[in-house]
Amino acid sequence: MWQVASLALKNDSFPTAIEAIRAIPDILGDRESLINILASLRRMAIGFGIAVLISIPLGLLMGRSRAVAAFFNPLLMIIYPVPKAALMPIIMLWLGVGDVTKTLVIFLGVSLPVIYHSFEGAKAVEEKMLWSGAAMGLSPAQRLVRIVLPAALPEILTGCRTGLVLALITMITSEMIARQSGAGNILFNALDMGQYDTVFAMIIIVGAMGICLDAIFERIRARLVRWSEPQFDMPLSFS
Amino acid sequence: MKVVPSRSSEWVRPVRPQKPASAIIEIERVSQVFQTSTRKDHVALSDISLTIDEGAFVSILGPSGCGKSTLLYVVGGFVSPTSGSAKIKGRTITGPGPDRGPVFQEFALFPWKTVLGNVMYGPRQQGVRATEAEAQSRALIEMVGLKGYEGFYPKELSGGMKQRVALARTLAYHPEVLLMDEPFGALDAHTRTRLQNDLLNIWERDRKTVLFVTHSVDEAVFLSDKVVMMSTSPGRIRDIIDIDLPRPRRRNELLLDPRYQKYVVEIERMFDESDLIGSSS
Ligand SMILES: Nc1ncnc2c1ncn2[C@@H]1O[C@H](COP(=O)(O)OP(=O)(O)OP(=O)(O)O)[C@@H](O)[C@H]1O
Ligand SMILES: [Mg+2]
């Protein structure tokens, strides 16, 4: 997005901030744009939701079972460095340019940080805590859900927060590659057609969406892990 | 009176002689060998045999690193011994169970639960109704001196307070055998004395079997029917001393009792003799 901005900066038709802001109500007022943006958000929510539902259990299992970790690690090591958007052309060949492809890309983008943080969180769970649970009669499955999950929650939510930002990024990139609908589609079509006020307005809208989602998520997170936040602020001295 | 080191498992309950004591825990030739990161074998426990009678208070005394915690974990079923076996009521221990309640050196409280939530966890897991579990737990919390802290999270407690919650949490599900790993090690002298008294009161009331790890000779003599002295590298049982002092024990009386003093002095001397105490923390 900032690349887009810097590209636009060189252009004569660089819109003033006021022009860009004026364009916002136009976009949000336009039925079709609104449907596009909502469709984007919907894909993002589904991709994020499925990713979290699959990645958390997988990460936790990997963290507590060497066999599961040994099985999935190589696979994840291969997927990890690949930019998920680069996979899009391949996925498009299989699944077309529709919702499924874009949601899948978002899913892939979100999964890795969530798996990684769930894995690390589960690995770090104090063994004696699990022993205490076992002595109380919790089965291995119950221990995973009722001890590993809550104990690893702060770490898991850190992963989810990264995942949420990545969901937004992959959502826009996927729509840039497969232009068919969505917020990214509006943005990049406007760029092609030189409607820079729309471009900037969309950047502001997408940015605001990101900030809002992150802020909402952060509130939920802080509430869920109140029990784990450090008690004292470490004073930092910059002398 | 002299301190008689004996390996026999027989002992007589001083105050209320009941039916002859029967073994609840039998540790048979247990050895535990750990692989260190340098791939060398490290013998933490070497050929330990020990019988603990039902309702007995047995302390394990020994220098740091002699395998006290490891022995407790074997009885708890948390680790399986490299060789040998441990039995509870004749059944070989293959895993943890609610009949054996551990109180760990590291507390291991559930940080996402409040004090009340931690203490209620065991009874709830055992199917006790919420209202009932809560009432029992509140009483236990009061007993360990934490009334008013029910809604606190573990991070908001001091080390000693955490230890008391850990004790209450384990007592809450009524294990037949308590496995306590230096439970009072982290406490200040005052709280320590209070909790020792409380523990004795509870114990004298329901006569749970207690396996109690400690560094402190006074504590071991004050609380126990039997003191198991271990020596280090490899961890072995050095002596088993029956503490033949009357019960119920009152601290102020006992401290003046020459028999008590003699036990303490003798055991400390035995420690020094083989320089066992050297590296103890
Ligand atoms: N998981 C492990 N892997 C390797 N070595 C271990 C492991 N656990 C314990 N040991 C070793 O076994 C020995 C006994 O340890 P243990 O924790 O049982 O001692 P301890 O008597 O409880 O000591 P302390 O009084 O300091 O708690 C130590 O030398 C320790 O290094
Ligand atoms: Mg120990």
Side-chain angles (χ1 to χ4, degrees):
Chain A
M1 280 185 301
W2 296 120
Q3 266 173 312
V4 175
S6 64
L7 266 177
L9 272 172
K10 291 189 199 115
N11 207 298
D12 302 338
S13 50
F14 182 70
T16 63
I18 293 164
E19 277 175 323
I21 291 167
R22 262 206 212 109
I24 294 174
D26 290 345
I27 295 169
L28 293 181
D30 179 43
R31 215 180 112 78
E32 203 179 325
S33 309
L34 211 57
I35 289 173
N36 267 312
I37 293 172
L38 287 178
S40 293
L41 282 175
R42 194 170 139 260
R43 277 195 295 273
M44 183 179 149
I46 294 172
F48 179 79
I50 297 176
V52 162
L53 284 181
I54 293 176
S55 305
I56 294 175
L58 178 60
L60 293 182
L61 275 172
M62 284 172 63
R64 296 312 313 178
S65 155
R66 263 188 218 151
V68 178
F71 182 81
F72 283 101
N73 250 332
L75 189 70
L76 295 174
M77 292 295 254
I78 295 168
I79 303 176
Y80 179 62
V82 179
K84 304 311 159 282
L87 294 172
M88 259 202 79
I90 306 168
I91 301 172
M92 268 157 62
L93 285 179
W94 287 341
L95 301 169
V97 290
D99 272 3
V100 184
T101 301
K102 290 173 198 156
T103 312
L104 186 61
V105 175
I106 296 171
F107 167 85
L108 287 174
V110 176
S111 292
L112 284 163
V114 179
I115 291 174
Y116 175 74
H117 282 274
S118 306
F119 170 68
E120 289 293 327
K123 242 185 2 185
V125 174
E126 204 191 327
E127 198 167 36
K128 304 287 153 52
M129 219 143 78
L130 293 164
W131 289 4
S132 297
M136 290 174 189
L138 273 81
S139 67
Q142 283 177 319
R143 269 175 268 159
L144 195 70
V145 177
R146 292 179 48 194
I147 295 180
V148 179
L149 176 64
L153 196 62
E155 185 73 35
I156 293 171
L157 291 180
T158 304
C160 290
R161 196 174 170 190
T162 313
L164 193 64
V165 175
L166 281 173
L168 191 72
I169 294 171
T170 36
M171 172 191 94
I172 298 290
T173 1
S174 72
E175 290 162 356
M176 177 181 79
I177 297 167
R179 303 253 187 107
Q180 184 212 26
S181 72
N185 180 45
I186 301 175
L187 203 166
F188 291 99
N189 276 345
L191 186 65
D192 288 350
M193 292 189 279
Q195 298 166 339
Y196 294 112
D197 53 346
T198 308
V199 171
F200 274 81
M202 278 311 294
I203 290 172
I204 294 170
I205 291 170
V206 171
M209 269 168 18
I211 292 169
C212 285
L213 285 172
D214 190 56
I216 293 168
F217 188 84
E218 174 53 22
R219 290 197 78 154
I220 297 171
R221 191 198 66 83
R223 172 156 293 219
L224 284 174
V225 299
R226 225 174 355 184
W227 52 267
S228 79
E229 303 292 283
Q231 263 191 90
F232 305 109
D233 281 336
M234 176 87 106
L236 291 170
S237 57
F238 302 97
S239 51
Chain B
M1 196 233 46
K2 63 181 182 356
V3 175
V4 192
S6 80
R7 272 170 206 280
S8 74
S9 63
E10 69 190 60
W11 58 281
V12 186
R13 277 199 195 124
V15 175
R16 323 171 230 180
Q18 297 164 347
K19 62 177 170 22
S22 60
I24 184 164
I25 287 173
E26 294 153 281
I27 300 166
E28 283 160 13
R29 312 208 57 179
V30 161
S31 294
Q32 184 66 264
V33 182
F34 288 112
Q35 280 251 319
T36 57
S37 32
T38 51
R39 295 234 159 257
K40 279 201 299 192
D41 283 352
H42 177 83
V43 183
L45 293 175
S46 168
D47 202 17
I48 302 270
S49 294
L50 179 68
T51 303
I52 293 161
D53 292 330
E54 188 154 6
F57 198 120
V58 176
S59 286
I60 299 177
L61 191 64
S64 193
C66 71
K68 305 183 294 294
S69 296
T70 307
L71 184 60
L72 221 61
Y73 300 159
V74 169
V75 176
F78 307 117
V79 300
S80 42
T82 314
S83 67
S85 70
K87 288 181 180 155
I88 177 161
K89 293 185 161 169
R91 282 172 287 113
T92 302
I93 292 168
T94 53
D99 51 350
R100 285 150 290 142
V103 181
F104 294 112
Q105 220 169 343
E106 305 88 342
F107 323 130
L109 296 175
F110 302 137
W112 63 94
K113 290 268 177 199
T114 61
V115 168
L116 183 63
N118 267 282
V119 179
M120 278 177 68
Y121 206 98
R124 290 293 290 141
Q125 177 65 26
Q126 234 84 120
V128 177
R129 285 213 333 274
T131 47
E132 206 173 310
E134 184 174 333
Q136 287 174 8
S137 301
R138 284 184 185 279
L140 268 171
I141 291 166
E142 188 171 353
M143 194 208 75
V144 296
L146 287 178
K147 196 174 167 54
Y149 291 93
E150 289 84 352
F152 281 52
Y153 285 103
K155 68 156 188 190
E156 297 161 331
L157 304 174
S158 72
M161 289 158 91
K162 283 182 204 163
Q163 187 64 79
R164 286 184 264 168
V165 177
L167 176 60
R169 179 179 69 170
T170 301
L171 289 174
Y173 56 91
H174 305 295
E176 283 175 65
V177 182
L178 277 175
L179 305 172
M180 308 179 82
D181 197 354
E182 298 184 35
F184 306 147
L187 303 183
D188 63 279
H190 176 73
T191 318
R192 190 184 175 105
T193 311
R194 255 207 49 217
L195 274 179
Q196 286 172 352
N197 288 328
D198 287 342
L199 180 63
L200 263 195
N201 286 338
I202 299 166
W203 181 81
E204 271 158 6
R205 198 181 56 217
D206 19 305
R207 291 274 166 158
K208 280 183 201 307
T209 310
V210 181
L211 195 53
F212 188 96
V213 168
T214 179
H215 274 130
S216 156
V217 176
D218 306 301
E219 185 170 76
V221 175
F222 177 54
L223 296 172
S224 320
D225 297 312
K226 204 186 248 191
V227 175
V228 177
M229 285 181 69
M230 287 182 68
S231 60
T232 192
S233 9
R236 286 182 198 283
I237 293 182
R238 185 171 174 273
D239 273 304
I240 298 176
I241 299 129
D242 289 320
I243 306 295
D244 193 6
L245 292 171
R247 291 191 189 270
R249 292 180 188 167
R250 298 270 167 270
R251 186 176 188 81
N252 47 2
E253 294 165 13
L254 212 62
L255 288 180
L256 295 171
D257 192 324
R259 290 174 296 175
Y260 167 82
Q261 295 161 356
K262 183 138 192 197
Y263 277 121
V264 173
V265 172
E266 285 286 316
I267 293 172
E268 273 177 355
R269 193 182 51 72
M270 286 163 70
F271 245 128
D272 289 340
E273 234 169 44
S274 44
D275 205 22
L276 286 175
I277 226 155
S279 64
S280 107
S281 57

